[in-house]
Amino acid sequence: MGEEDYYLELCDRPVHFEKANPVNCVFFDEANKQVFAVRSGGATGVVVKGPDDRNPISFRMEDKGEVKCIKFSLENKILAVQRTSKTVDFSNFIPDSSQLEYTQECKTKNANILGFCWTSSTEIVFITDQGIEFYQVLPEKRNLKLLKSQNINVNWYMYCPEGAVILLSTTVLGNVLQPFYFRAGTMSKLPKFEIELPSVPKSTKLNLSERDIAMATIYGQLYVLFLRHHSRTSSSTGAEVVLYHLPREGACKKMHILKLNRTGKFALNVVDNLVVVHHQDTETSVIFDIKLRGEFDGTVTFHHPVLPARSIQPYQIPMAGPAPVTSQSPVPCKLYSSSWIVFQPDIIISASQGYLWNLQVKLQPIVNLLPDKGRLMDFLLQRKECKMVILSVCSQMLSESDRATLPVIATVFDKLNHEYKKYLDVEQSYTTALEAGQSRSSPLLRRPVRTQAVIDQSDMYTHVLSVFTEKDMPHKFVIAVLMEYIRSLNQFQITVQNSSGPGPPWPLLWCRWVIGKRALLPSLSSALLTRARHQDAGPAQSLLYAASVLAVPCSQRLQAFESFYPPAHQLSLDMLKRLSTANDEIVEVLLSKHQVLAALRFIRGIGGHDNISARKFLDAAKQTEDNMLFYTIFRFFEQRNQRLRGNPNFTPGEHCEEHVAFFKQVFGDQALMRPTTF
């Protein structure tokens, strides 16, 4: 497979550390994302590296026995080291502070410390087999203060630093999970919940392993992911991943099930809000997006892989050493190695090779792997680095070789403008709040973040539509695409930009020009543009003049396209409405479509109803063969006559005798208005 076939890759700048061996032990801190290489218990050196650390931290410490766990507090101010099952040792890494170690023993008698987690720069949690202990570290006093504790039998634990939640496995089977939430010196006990095991356990030994559980934030919500190796339903084969939503308030609820359709050894990552499932046996991975539509059974939503299974892109490990010495070729990395250890959300560590990678999603290869353009847009709009890929998809679907149908193009435009409109609404709310006097520093007022999913009109003009119209494409297709984009903007009540300010002309003005250029005689367009340029106007003003002159014939031409593109009629009206001199044309368009009441409402809206021809409207109403419509129009002009002349009858100059006779024939003489007398 070529590089364009892989949609997952390891980052090109991994963290390199001394590989694990009998002398060197490797530890990983999930909160700071740091790797600790501890040589000889620290006596011959400790090197700490992280993905964002430009300079590694190096120090030595006295060898007081085997190191079971080692982590820095947030901001790297205090080092905690566990060497025994009863105590944790601390060392300050604060300037001008004492370097002497101080020790804290767990409070519960006969308890063994399973591990610890830093929740802030000075707060730490001990997890023991008999409960949980929350401490505040006082570095200047070189001791700890117990803030809160909870007694509970614990099999194993898991920590999610992004959500500040510790999950404890309890009960004999281990499938009852108790979460605790930590924030600003407080520990909150959340409702416990039970993981549904694949089948009724045959013994009372531990059935739920921490290897089958992960915690991660997906689309801003905390989930517990359970890798169930066998489905609970006999009709379903293969493993599945069950997602439990863990809210800050309320009970944990099973929400999603990801169908893997295979068995074996699996590992989980979460990258860019996608759940990535690695399968060691086949050395492939699949991705799931819980935002995409799945199969809802009334309780949970079932999802299948978004794309076919693929391997992570092959990776070459550069040879270590000075540049003049390392002349050998890079060594291929063994992907899906049994020595790989996966951490959330996107960490892969090979302790035997001495590398820490961040897993990444490549969006461009996905374009060709997901043929459904609507589903592809739903997928891309949720990704962080999506803008240029989305614009390339738009260009691709308008190309000669991969041209999409108009309904597909319309769907894509609607999805893009839906996101665009959401951002504009949030931005407008923010601006309104500021104008109402709310302070920018208010915690309730946050400036909207413009993500890459916001594709505005300028983006579409610059990267897609302006390039598209320069290609040798069928005129009707070009015009239909341009009108479809404007139709979509109007549908979402997005003001179509029509500025003649600096920079390129905005889309509506530009679309008018292109429609005029392609739909009318080229000589007419050229003559008008030449005339505009010779009137001492700048380029933008010249284009605006030309577009305004072309607007009326363009709108008439648009009506001719209605047979193969129904929205053309409404677009022609929208174009005419923007010209203050095109009111007569608008009335003619509406009457030609038998929209007599709409024409009358329009002319009343602009205050011209006292001067319009009664005969023209009555002719149009009669042609509809709708007697009640004719009655309404006839009565309107009778009332106008009464108001203007004091008499409802038509004058001979209006030439309405034929319509008066028809009215009498259908409705009788008694239906005519009588002059009002006072």
Side-chain angles (χ1 to χ4, degrees), residues 1 9 37 75-77 212 225 292-293 302 324-325 398 406 408 449 520 545 548 563 631 660:
M1 287 191 294
E9 65 179 354
E75 302 175 9
N76 299 331
K77 290 184 176 180
D212 297 331
L225 291 77
L292 294 183
R293 182 177 299 175
F302 293 85
V325 179
L398 300 180
L406 276 178
V408 170
V449 177
L520 302 176
Y545 170 81
S548 65
S563 60
Y631 179 93
V660 172

Side-chain angles (χ1 to χ4, degrees), residues 174-190:
N175 65 322
V176 176
L177 302 182
Q178 175 62 65
F180 289 88
Y181 171 58
F182 298 85
R183 182 182 179 185
T186 61
M187 180 177 83
S188 304
K189 185 178 181 181
L190 304 180

